[in-house]
Amino acid sequence: MAKTNSIAFPNMFSVSRNRVNTYEDDKSVVNRTRLLILTDPTELYHNPQFGVGLKKHLWTYNNENRKSIIQDEIKAQLRLHEPYAIADDTQFSDGLLFTGSSSDNDIEEIREINHLKMTCAIKTVYQTTAEVNIDGDNIRRNI
């Protein structure tokens, strides 16, 4: 029996089985954390304390200070809204670094400059580590 579950966002409905899809345990924590990270404050539930709001960090300087701000905001949101995550044990990859080269000739290299990629390793109360991967292209497409 699952200790926690959540609606499988964005694939919430299974029309063929006539039911609502859900995730359990670690998958549920990952699902809710991804929603928490990608949500802007007041966007969901009209709650100004819910959501990290990564969109506000787009088109700003991409440096160690910005990375620390994002990490602190994610940990604060996990403390507030995710009871199955141990927020202080959350670890982050160095995915917010400048990538690409100074060459302006290659279009693919130009696309990769300031590309936001982040992996959060969240320790859960189940004594496991769940990974949440965030890709900046998905955020930009939704603006």
Side-chain angles (χ1 to χ4, degrees), residues 61-78:
Y61 289 110
N62 190 3
N63 53 27
E64 291 298 318
N65 187 32
R66 180 67 53 188
K67 184 171 119 178
S68 296
I69 290 170
I70 293 170
Q71 291 173 359
D72 289 343
E73 288 178 1
I74 291 171
K75 285 182 182 182
Q77 289 295 314
L78 286 174

Side-chain angles (χ1 to χ4, degrees), residues 5 16 52 55-56 64 66-67 70 77 79 83 88 105 107 130:
N5 56 13
S16 62
V52 173
K55 290 179 188 174
K56 69 183 173 193
E64 291 298 318
R66 180 67 53 188
K67 184 171 119 178
I70 293 170
Q77 289 295 314
R79 276 188 218 103
D88 294 326
N105 296 332
I107 297 297

Side-chain angles (χ1 to χ4, degrees), residues 65-135:
N65 187 32
R66 180 67 53 188
K67 184 171 119 178
S68 296
I69 290 170
I70 293 170
Q71 291 173 359
D72 289 343
E73 288 178 1
I74 291 171
K75 285 182 182 182
Q77 289 295 314
L78 286 174
R79 276 188 218 103
L80 283 173
H81 300 290
E82 186 50 66
Y84 292 96
I86 303 171
D88 294 326
D89 291 343
T90 302
Q91 297 177 350
F92 299 89
S93 71
D94 289 333
L96 292 178
L97 302 175
F98 287 102
T99 57
S101 69
S102 60
S103 169
D104 291 337
N105 296 332
D106 191 2
I107 297 297
E108 288 302 315
E109 287 181 4
I110 293 170
R111 272 193 63 216
E112 290 296 317
I113 295 174
N114 263 348
H115 187 75
L116 173 67
K117 286 187 179 179
M118 177 188 341
T119 300
C120 304
I122 302 166
K123 186 162 185 182
T124 65
V125 294
Y126 306 118
Q127 299 305 318
T128 59
T129 301
E131 287 188 9
V132 178
N133 295 307
I134 306 298
D135 187 356

